[in-house]
Amino acid sequence: VPVKWGFDLGDRSPLFYYQFKSMIDKARIEKLVNEFIDGTGIFLVAVKVSSSNRIIVLADTMKGITIDECADLHRHIEKNLDRNTEDFELQVSSPGLDTPFKVIEQYYRNEGSKVEVISTEGEKVTGKLKHVTGGGFELETEIKVKGKPVEIKNISFNFDEVKSARVVFTIN
């Protein structure tokens, strides 16, 4: 028995049009960034692309990236994407001051700064970042014991022993 809907469509059915926007490939954005930064002193920290094509590019330099450098990188990426086929939102900025390090260049950039390191075992150590190499770094820490002079101790870390590291800012 046919179901009656209260109206007759005959041999026609309702048509629904969906415009599917493709998700932008993260590797494509990384390639565009790397093309732009080659030889500029800018280094890529991270690229994030959400399912709704919200693109976030984090970049920096050894001296700190400028607004003009971010704007130039933004323009380069935007001109190489087609808004008619790919709806997207693009943000280019430096990593935040409290953002954990993601690439080795951030360790080099912050050599001499006070950092907090959380080891893969969960131990938290704070100290001055020193002697960064391709494999790891040293942290100069102060050990305070009541009634004794402050003891300076260097702790070595391999990068694979570090869960996270970030700069610690103190107000004097």
Side-chain angles (χ1 to χ4, degrees):
V1 176
V3 177
K4 280 293 201 185
W5 294 98
F7 55 89
D8 183 18
L9 293 174
D11 61 350
R12 297 174 297 140
S13 63
L15 297 176
F16 297 97
Y17 291 98
Y18 294 99
Q19 185 175 10
F20 291 101
K21 298 283 185 175
S22 60
M23 186 170 155
I24 295 174
D25 183 36
K26 178 181 172 184
R28 182 174 167 209
I29 301 302
E30 289 172 346
K31 183 178 183 242
L32 289 171
V33 171
N34 287 323
E35 286 172 2
F36 178 82
I37 66 176
D38 187 35
T40 64
I42 298 172
F43 59 87
L44 177 61
V45 175
V47 171
K48 299 174 192 166
V49 180
S50 74
S51 59
S52 63
N53 283 344
R54 181 168 190 239
I55 305 164
I56 299 174
V57 176
L58 301 178
D60 210 345
T61 70
M62 295 308 261
K63 293 183 247 172
I65 195 164
T66 67
I67 292 172
D68 289 337
E69 289 169 322
C70 286
D72 291 343
L73 178 54
H74 185 283
R75 279 190 288 276
H76 174 76
I77 296 167
E78 191 168 43
K79 81 175 184 183
N80 285 285
L81 298 176
D82 183 3
R83 285 208 182 266
N84 293 328
T85 59
E86 302 165 317
D87 186 28
F88 63 90
E89 175 187 343
L90 176 61
Q91 175 187 340
V92 177
S93 68
S94 66
L97 295 175
D98 60 343
T99 304
F101 299 165
K102 297 188 183 315
V103 295
I104 193 169
E105 290 88 350
Q106 290 177 289
Y107 287 88
Y108 285 116
R109 182 183 188 291
N110 290 289
E111 199 164 6
S113 299
K114 185 175 182 181
V115 298
E116 175 187 89
V117 174
I118 300 176
S119 73
T120 53
E121 282 112 35
E123 181 184 1
K124 187 187 295 185
V125 184
T126 303
K128 184 178 178 181
L129 182 62
K130 295 174 55 177
H131 307 295
V132 178
T133 68
F137 58 91
E138 283 186 3
L139 206 60
E140 182 182 276
T141 62
E142 293 181 354
I143 299 170
K144 298 176 185 176
V145 178
K146 190 174 182 178
K148 293 186 177 182
V150 173
E151 181 184 339
I152 303 294
K153 182 178 178 185
N154 288 324
I155 303 172
S156 295
F157 286 93
N158 291 327
F159 288 120
D160 62 357
E161 298 172 328
V162 177
K163 181 177 180 181
S164 74
R166 65 178 185 86
V167 173
V168 176
F169 291 95
T170 55
I171 300 172
N172 295 332

